Amino acid sequence: MKATPTLVPPAERPLDSPWWLAPALFTVAAVLGGAWGYRSSPIVQGSAWLALPYVVPLALVAASWRPSAHRDTRTRGLALGGIGALIALIYAHLATFVLCAVALLLWAFQGGG
């Protein structure tokens, strides 16, 4: 005979931590960081295609929304979300620096004067 499993009342079950809290915070941080970074850099006067690389940090944050049962995949999701939020924050300033460096190099090495 099979033993009947005993049911534990909901009030006596241990509470699981809400898995969605960290990805939600990373999503808000990525959106606010990306908006602040984009608005505070001179790239905002540029063409709209310069905002296209924001897809990469948002994809990293979206990867953190996948619920996981294992501790290592949960840590990986938290790392991806944090990295995505950080990239969203610094992308516009990094792109401005790279564009200015390329313009300076092109100006310095142009031929003919």
Side-chain angles (χ1 to χ4, degrees), residues 10-49:
E12 296 177 11
R13 292 183 196 154
L15 294 175
D16 287 338
S17 61
W19 67 269
W20 51 268
L21 186 61
L25 290 175
F26 287 139
T27 302
V28 170
V31 169
L32 291 178
W36 177 78
Y38 190 72
R39 297 286 294 163
S40 68
S41 74
I43 218 172
V44 78
Q45 284 88 19
S47 61
W49 66 268

Side-chain angles (χ1 to χ4, degrees), residues 38 43 47-55 91:
Y38 190 72
I43 218 172
S47 61
W49 66 268
L50 289 172
L52 187 63
Y54 277 106
V55 172
Y91 162 71

